[in-house]
Amino acid sequence: MLRKLVCGLEIHTQLKTGQKLFSLSSTEASKPNTNISFFDIGLPGSQPTLNQSCLLTALKACVSLNSNINPISSFDRKHYFYPDQPNGYQITQYYRPLSSGGFLKLSKRFDEIDEEEKLVRIHHIQIEQDTGKSLYKDLSDKSLVDYNRSNMPLIEVVTEPDMNSVKQVKAFLRKYLQLMKAIDVSTGQLEAGAMRVDVNVSVDDGERVEIKNMTSTAAIVNAIRYEFKRQSNSIDKGIPIESKETRGWDGNKTYRLRDKESSVDYRYMPDPELPPVVLDVDDIVTSIKEMTITTPEEELAQLMSPPYNIKLRDARILLNDRNLLGYYYDLFSRTSAKNIPSKYPINWCCHEFLGYLAKNNVSFSKDLFPVQQLADLIDCIFQEKVTNNNAKILFEHLLANPAENEGPVTDLITRYELGEVDVTNDSELLAQVDSIIDEVLDTYPAIVKELQGGNKPGSINYLLGQCMRTSAGRIKSKVFESRLKEKLHIIK
């Protein structure tokens, strides 16, 4: 029997602000327990004061998610007792959240779901404070607590159970992350803890099971797949799904944590020290919309259209890192001014540059390679002053040795003897070309036979690559291609 996955998300998003939610402590990363105030660690007598920049940042998220801002919202205390919760309660918005309703629209074109369109509804968005962070020592029964994260500003975005496939979940998370980055609400770094996701999974609208605190898309996807299979197998065997169970994810399977607490367990009560938040909704929404919020879908459409003409995969890579996106726009501007085709800047940004960084486990920074130097290097390739392969060699060398990246690129190409050699009027070099070609043809007789028989014409590119490799890329590929075809009696 085909069973139906029913999935909803609770996304805890750390807001990108300078100070914490109810104190003036800095939100910057630092050594443990250095960015804390009296209220952050629950000292008796300390009181909360709402940081208005946190409120404004949260409101930007509400507007971008088409959520209805409530004219009056309030704060409540959610009581539970963990070492990383010094007050014995978390300040949240249980009774009257900041906004209600809303949606995020997915599409087949931009999000690669199976449906033409999918609307994922938002139930509500609330502001709340984060807890401290427990640090467990390996092979020890002790744990440490870092209160730097205590009282960090969060919004919790709760969706309706509208997602029915892993594709939809991945697409929603990707678009949500991109949106929060685009409007400067959050860094959107799942792995760094800026977002933590709880997943609610049920089968055929049956009992709902919650999987807590996942910090990577891969973990979320694998946990949903496992839990869907686990619940489906239980149903097939006639074993009921335990009502409102909370489970964890260990990387391979979900496991029982506890029964899901109810509102009675948390002893919710209005916070007596924080007044209600009263807003002029029309004025606020108008002001936020005037900030010109561009959605990820609009940015993708722009990047995929002229003059950029970027493929969807590469456009997504750019949107995942706003600094890289800015670097690309700058590079494109400089190269297009010299009438260099649009394929050059995107290839060097998303493939050569990021490929090197991934291989060497380095994070992107525009300071790693000056954008003007890269534009000049691309110009040299376009003008055939250097082969693409030799340009890569120079690029990687300069990335590894930034102190040597001084002076014009043309001088660097000359210094390292990476420029292309013109053999047109040099009989000695022409003889060298023929010698290289003869060596390659002798090495690959089977390919030669296929080409001369009219089979697999694309195989000539392999022979051409071997010739270029032997010459260290210094002789133009067109020279080798022309001579190869002559020797193989292939009509141009």
Side-chain angles (χ1 to χ4, degrees):
M1 180 185 296
L2 291 176
R3 299 201 175 275
K4 178 185 176 184
L5 169 68
V6 180
C7 187
L9 303 176
E10 298 172 18
I11 308 174
H12 306 267
T13 306
Q14 190 178 106
L15 301 180
K16 191 178 175 182
T17 59
Q19 281 80 39
K20 294 185 180 180
L21 185 56
F22 298 116
S23 75
L24 295 179
S25 300
S26 172
T27 57
E28 290 294 322
S30 60
K31 294 180 180 179
N33 296 315
T34 54
N35 283 344
I36 53 177
S37 68
F38 292 156
F39 180 74
D40 299 338
I41 55 175
L43 291 186
S46 58
Q47 293 182 308
T49 301
L50 177 62
N51 185 338
Q52 292 189 14
S53 67
C54 297
L55 177 60
L56 175 61
T57 305
L59 288 167
K60 285 170 65 178
C62 296
V63 172
S64 70
L65 290 168
N66 310 290
S67 191
N68 302 310
I69 297 169
N70 295 319
I72 300 176
S73 57
S74 59
F75 291 100
D76 310 294
R77 293 183 179 182
K78 176 183 179 181
H79 294 86
Y80 61 96
F81 301 95
Y82 287 155
D84 57 14
Q85 184 64 280
N87 284 306
Y89 60 85
Q90 177 190 30
I91 300 177
T92 183
Q93 293 187 307
Y94 179 73
Y95 293 110
R96 292 193 290 184
L98 185 62
S99 70
S100 305
F103 63 88
L104 193 60
K105 186 183 291 185
L106 308 177
S107 68
K108 190 172 190 176
R109 179 190 177 194
F110 294 112
D111 304 301
E112 297 180 314
I113 58 174
D114 295 330
E115 302 78 9
E116 287 299 324
E117 279 192 352
K118 176 69 178 181
L119 201 69
V120 179
R121 296 169 297 160
I122 307 295
H123 183 272
H124 72 271
I125 301 172
Q126 64 191 45
I127 301 175
E128 60 187 27
Q129 61 176 174
D130 208 345
T131 63
K133 184 177 181 179
S134 295
L135 307 169
Y136 298 97
K137 290 288 187 179
D138 293 337
L139 305 176
S140 169
D141 58 354
K142 295 180 180 180
S143 65
L144 305 176
V145 180
D146 179 8
Y147 288 115
N148 281 348
R149 200 177 71 181
S150 177
N151 194 32
M152 284 286 221
L154 303 175
I155 53 170
E156 181 178 1
V157 177
V158 181
T159 78
E160 299 286 1
D162 287 342
M163 286 163 276
N164 306 118
S165 70
V166 168
K167 273 188 180 181
Q168 291 175 8
V169 173
K170 288 175 67 176
F172 180 88
L173 283 170
R174 180 171 55 230
K175 180 163 279 190
Y176 176 79
L177 290 171
Q178 289 174 345
L179 180 59
M180 293 302 104
K181 291 178 186 178
I183 62 177
D184 210 29
V185 161
S186 175
T187 62
Q189 296 174 333
L190 269 167
E191 288 76 7
M195 290 192 186
R196 300 189 295 279
V197 181
D198 300 339
V199 181
N200 294 304
V201 177
S202 64
V203 175
D204 298 337
D205 293 310
E207 292 291 348
R208 172 171 61 90
V209 171
E210 182 180 34
I211 311 170
K212 294 288 287 185
N213 283 334
M214 286 174 287
T215 57
S216 74
T217 303
I220 293 164
V221 166
N222 291 330
I224 291 172
R225 285 176 174 151
Y226 179 91
E227 185 60 22
F228 176 72
K229 185 175 181 180
R230 185 190 73 84
Q231 290 188 33
S232 297
N233 289 339
S234 294
I235 294 168
D236 291 342
K237 294 175 183 176
I239 302 171
I241 303 300
E242 191 166 344
S243 176
K244 295 182 179 179
E245 181 186 31
T246 296
R247 298 177 74 85
W249 171 250
D250 66 5
N252 295 304
K253 64 183 184 303
T254 62
Y255 60 93
R256 178 180 171 79
L257 287 173
R258 58 181 183 273
D259 289 333
K260 183 170 176 60
E261 293 89 344
S262 66
S263 58
V264 174
D265 297 314
Y266 286 125
R267 304 295 194 273
Y268 284 102
M269 61 168 280
D271 193 298
E273 296 179 323
L274 287 164
V277 178
V278 182
L279 302 170
D280 183 338
V281 174
D282 291 338
D283 182 57
I284 285 170
V285 171
T286 301
S287 298
I288 291 176
K289 286 184 176 178
E290 286 175 354
M291 295 177 184
T292 315
I293 296 174
T294 304
T295 67
E297 198 159 281
E298 290 169 337
E299 285 192 288
L300 284 173
Q302 178 179 308
L303 288 167
M304 293 168 66
S305 303
Y308 307 108
N309 299 311
I310 298 176
K311 294 179 181 178
L312 176 60
R313 181 189 63 182
D314 292 337
R316 280 184 180 153
I317 290 172
L318 293 178
L319 289 190
N320 281 336
D321 189 330
R322 308 303 296 185
N323 291 325
L324 178 65
L325 178 62
Y327 187 90
Y328 165 76
Y329 278 133
D330 194 358
L331 181 63
F332 178 87
S333 176
R334 295 168 191 262
T335 54
S336 62
K338 296 183 177 182
N339 297 316
I340 297 173
S342 59
K343 66 180 182 180
Y344 285 87
I346 189 61
N347 179 62
W348 278 85
C349 264
C350 285
H351 300 282
E352 306 304 341
F353 205 160
L354 291 190
Y356 173 86
L357 297 182
K359 186 168 60 177
N360 292 277
N361 197 27
V362 178
S363 299
F364 172 79
S365 169
K366 63 180 182 180
D367 298 325
L368 290 172
F369 203 93
V371 69
Q372 184 59 56
Q373 285 290 81
L374 184 52
D376 290 343
L377 181 61
I378 291 172
D379 186 39
C380 288
I381 299 168
F382 184 61
Q383 294 188 44
E384 297 186 344
K385 293 179 180 178
V386 65
T387 65
N388 200 61
N389 284 339
N390 282 358
K392 290 179 188 177
I393 292 170
L394 178 60
F395 181 66
E396 293 190 1
H397 174 76
L398 296 176
L399 278 170
N401 303 275
E404 297 182 28
N405 193 3
E406 295 181 357
V409 168
T410 50
D411 290 352
L412 295 172
I413 291 170
T414 302
R415 182 194 307 172
Y416 295 109
E417 299 182 349
L418 294 171
E420 285 191 329
V421 177
D422 186 0
V423 302
T424 307
N425 300 313
D426 192 320
S427 58
E428 184 177 335
L429 286 175
L430 279 172
Q432 184 180 340
V433 167
D434 286 341
S435 175
I436 291 172
I437 290 174
D438 290 341
E439 180 183 340
V440 169
L441 295 181
D442 289 341
T443 306
Y444 301 99
I447 295 178
V448 171
K449 186 176 181 180
E450 286 178 343
L451 286 168
Q452 289 178 332
N455 300 320
K456 298 184 179 180
S459 297
I460 195 171
N461 293 325
Y462 181 80
L463 298 180
L464 180 60
Q466 298 306 310
C467 292
M468 292 293 292
R469 179 180 296 178
T470 303
S471 73
R474 297 196 66 214
I475 298 173
K476 293 181 180 181
S477 61
K478 292 178 181 178
V479 174
F480 279 121
E481 184 178 8
S482 175
R483 294 294 288 157
L484 265 172
K485 287 181 176 180
E486 287 179 17
K487 285 180 174 290
L488 293 171
H489 307 293
I490 297 175
I491 299 174
K492 297 180 182 180

